[in-house]
């Protein structure tokens, strides 16, 4: 269950999820983090062109604002044997395939509805498509950035994510988290 999921039916007709394009008003996007604003404006296009990430924009259908964006890539992460048994994963290796949300940000003007959580929910659609295409993929993962806001993992916990304990043994700037879609 995602955070405030009961609101998503209300959000759906108000927005459109589109591929990144410079035709949208990238300059106006402000999520209060210079790093995340600058990524959209200066780095996103290169990441897309080099097939490192695909960037999705959530657009306000009424005025064309970018409400939120996310960067998606494929990745894998490690689970220790305890974590595997918790997920019911009986496999002889520790690496699990995933869709990674490399970046997620919501414009500070759009705090009235749970758009960030809505984006996490939408990311599940991409995971489903990958599986439909015939490629195994199990989880959504994120490196919850704790440099600017140490409480960022809270946002993901509210959305049903769990910490990847094995991955986090060696981390200081972010915490790896997973959402098991199965
Ligand atoms: C993190 C982010 C994407 C969340 O988007 P959002 O649209 O505000 O999220 P939602 O409205 O769905 O969820 C809001 C809930 O999560 C909490 N939340 C939002 N951002 C949070 C953060 N950075 N840390 C902790 N909690 C956060 C809110 O307090 C709120 O909970 P509440 O209703 O109990 O007050 C947004 O805050 C953002 O753009 N931050 C700047 C970029 C960033 O740090 N991205 C995450 C990188 S891993």
């Amino acid at each position: 269950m995602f955070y405030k999921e009961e609101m998503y039916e209300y959000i759906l007709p108000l927005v459109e999820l589109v591929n990144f394009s410079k035709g949208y008003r990238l300059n106006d996007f402000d999520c209060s983090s210079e790093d995340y604003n600058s990524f959209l404006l200066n780095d996103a296009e290169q990441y897309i062109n080099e097939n490192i990430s695909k960037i999705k924009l959530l657009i306000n259908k009424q005025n064309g604002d970018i409400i939120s964006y996310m960067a998606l890539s494929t990745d894998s992460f490690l689970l220790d044997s305890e974590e595997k048994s918790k997920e019911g994963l009986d496999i002889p290796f520790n690496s699990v395939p995933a869709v990674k949300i490399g970046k997620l940000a919501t414009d500070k003007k759009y705090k009235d509805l749970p758009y960030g959580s809505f984006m996490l929910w939408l990311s599940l659609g991409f995971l489903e498509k990958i599986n439909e295409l015939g490629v195994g993929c199990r989880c959504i993962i994120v490196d919850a950035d704790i440099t600017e806001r140490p409480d960022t993992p809270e946002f993901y916990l509210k959305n049903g994510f769990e910490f990847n304990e094995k991955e986090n043994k060696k981390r200081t700037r972010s915490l790896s988290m997973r959402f098991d879609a199965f």
Side-chain angles (χ1 to χ4, degrees):
M1 184 79 178
F2 288 86
Y3 184 61
K4 295 193 177 166
E5 203 172 316
E6 68 285 358
M7 309 289 292
Y8 300 175
E9 285 285 319
Y10 177 78
I11 295 176
L12 272 168
L14 308 176
V15 298
E16 191 178 4
L17 191 72
V18 299
N19 290 325
F20 173 94
S21 155
K22 283 164 109 179
Y24 294 102
R25 298 196 315 274
L26 307 177
N27 244 320
D28 292 350
F29 182 82
D30 185 5
C31 67
S32 304
S33 160
E34 209 25 64
D35 186 20
Y36 285 77
N37 293 344
S38 160
F39 175 82
L40 189 62
L41 205 53
N42 305 314
D43 306 326
E45 199 181 18
Q46 184 202 346
Y47 277 57
I48 295 164
N49 290 342
E50 293 181 359
N51 273 12
I52 299 302
S53 296
K54 297 295 173 195
I55 319 279
K56 305 288 168 189
L57 309 177
L58 190 73
I59 301 296
N60 179 339
K61 276 192 195 168
Q62 233 172 17
N63 59 16
D65 278 357
I66 301 170
I67 299 173
S68 190
Y69 81 85
M70 63 182 166
L72 301 178
S73 314
T74 52
D75 202 351
S76 68
F77 65 104
L78 298 175
L79 289 179
D80 63 24
S81 44
E82 208 173 295
E83 291 174 304
K84 277 195 293 186
S85 73
K86 191 174 163 194
E87 299 295 358
L89 260 178
D90 185 15
I91 48 173
F93 46 86
N94 295 331
S95 178
V96 180
V99 167
K100 181 170 193 170
I101 302 180
K103 295 270 179 199
L104 171 64
T106 300
D107 190 294
K108 64 183 181 190
K109 288 194 296 296
Y110 287 90
K111 291 292 170 189
D112 55 324
L113 289 167
Y115 290 109
S117 302
F118 180 74
M119 292 291 270
L120 296 177
W121 178 70
L122 290 181
S123 71
L124 272 187
F126 293 97
L127 179 69
E128 240 171 67
K129 274 195 186 141
I130 289 173
N131 280 289
E132 277 167 22
L133 283 170
V135 179
C137 192
R138 169 120 184 181
C139 293
I140 304 285
I141 55 168
V142 65
D143 290 339
D145 190 337
I146 49 174
T147 51
E148 288 189 31
R149 276 192 61 168
D151 59 343
T152 298
E154 291 296 325
F155 166 69
Y156 294 101
L157 287 171
K158 279 178 184 163
N159 280 291
F161 282 64
E162 293 173 84
F163 290 108
N164 293 323
E165 305 295 347
K166 185 173 173 67
E167 288 280 351
N168 289 334
K169 283 187 182 133
K170 52 188 184 213
R171 288 170 189 251
T172 52
R173 297 174 59 80
S174 64
L175 291 173
S176 171
M177 301 180 80
R178 71 177 177 280
F179 181 95
D180 188 349
F182 287 89

